[in-house]
Amino acid sequence: RLGFAKAGKLDIVKEAIEKEEARLDVELQIRQSEESSNRGLDNRNFGNLYAGSFDKDKQEIIYNPKVIAYHGVTGIDSKGVGEKSPEVYVKFGKWVYGLRAMAHTLRKPKYRNKNLEEITNTYSRTDKASYSSNVASLSGNILKVGEPVDTHNDKELRTLMRSMLTNEVGHTMAPNELLIDEAIRLSKDSMEDSELFKTMYPKVDLTNPPPPL
């Protein structure tokens, strides 16, 4: 009976997550039909994670394969690169995968137990002066600029993510707590690399090497 109860609860959670995904998709379609563009939302990339940046000297985009490899990445947004923006961004097929990538990024050692200003200075290439104070304010001052944040503590990470994504894409279309918690849960496990990564960086089959030249 306990097994059935647990399975039933998981089904309810799964259904709720699917409903939240659908809600965000509908809201995005409405925004796009009204020509209300928001890059992070258009890409289902709440954290505005970079796929790479434009090298002016080489006149080419230098990609970050570690970001492109995130599960759920479906494309790269390079609109305006080299002209209006030096960065290109990843696109995700599902909102939860974009949030998972953000959570996974913030759980890396370079962010853990750093103070809020150190975290935001590492995360963002722009708005460094105001980013940490904005995030602190958006958290209701639960997070404080000079105090450490344990990004391996789910509650602290959830607060940090919600405040940071609001700073990145605004208050509209905020994901609910359930979707953020699911993203944090998924960020603790390894997932298959994105199909885009496999296409851009194909593995060499060492069991069947090419014939000698």
Side-chain angles (χ1 to χ4, degrees):
R1 289 183 179 179
L2 288 175
F4 284 120
K6 185 176 181 181
K9 184 177 180 180
L10 290 174
D11 287 342
I12 292 171
V13 171
K14 182 180 178 181
E15 184 179 348
I17 290 169
E18 290 173 351
K19 283 184 178 180
E20 178 65 0
E21 285 273 348
R23 178 188 72 81
L24 291 168
D25 281 342
V26 169
E27 289 195 23
L28 179 62
Q29 290 172 4
I30 293 172
R31 284 182 63 90
Q32 291 174 336
S33 68
E34 296 172 348
E35 298 184 355
S36 177
S37 179
N38 181 306
R39 198 166 195 171
L41 296 177
D42 291 343
N43 295 333
R44 294 181 178 82
N45 180 2
F46 279 113
N48 277 325
L49 295 178
Y50 302 128
S53 57
F54 185 75
D55 188 309
K56 290 183 179 180
D57 294 330
K58 295 181 179 180
Q59 287 294 296
E60 65 181 18
I61 298 170
I62 308 300
Y63 290 106
N64 184 342
K66 290 183 179 180
V67 175
I68 295 169
Y70 273 125
H71 185 80
V73 170
T74 58
I76 294 173
D77 175 5
S78 57
K79 184 179 179 181
V81 69
E83 301 169 7
K84 297 180 180 179
S85 171
E87 288 87 20
V88 294
Y89 299 85
V90 279
K91 297 180 179 181
F92 290 91
K94 285 191 171 185
W95 301 95
V96 72
Y97 293 148
L99 286 167
R100 174 191 177 266
M102 183 182 186
H104 187 276
T105 297
L106 291 169
R107 283 174 53 83
K108 290 180 179 179
K110 64 181 178 180
Y111 292 102
R112 190 179 184 190
N113 289 325
K114 299 295 175 66
N115 69 44
L116 184 57
E117 187 172 20
E118 290 171 327
I119 289 172
T120 57
N121 282 347
T122 302
Y123 188 89
S124 178
R125 297 184 186 180
T126 59
D127 303 326
K128 290 182 181 289
S130 60
Y131 202 118
S132 58
S133 58
N134 287 344
V135 170
S137 177
L138 289 165
S139 75
N141 291 315
I142 294 172
L143 304 175
K144 299 187 179 356
V145 173
E147 293 185 2
V149 181
D150 183 1
T151 56
H152 280 218
N153 177 294
D154 290 357
K155 185 177 180 180
E156 290 186 37
L157 179 57
R158 182 200 306 137
T159 301
L160 178 65
M161 286 178 63
R162 181 172 291 285
S163 303
M164 286 179 66
L165 69 86
T166 302
N167 191 62
E168 290 284 342
V169 301
H171 290 276
T172 59
M173 288 186 59
N176 66 16
E177 193 170 284
L178 181 66
L179 200 65
I180 295 176
D181 285 348
E182 175 67 2
I184 292 173
R185 184 186 72 80
L186 292 173
S187 74
K188 299 173 187 177
D189 297 323
S190 61
M191 297 185 74
E192 187 178 1
D193 291 339
S194 70
E195 293 302 318
L196 179 63
F197 174 82
K198 294 176 186 177
T199 301
M200 292 179 67
Y201 303 96
K203 290 184 178 180
V204 176
D205 185 1
L206 298 178
T207 63
N208 185 26
L213 296 175

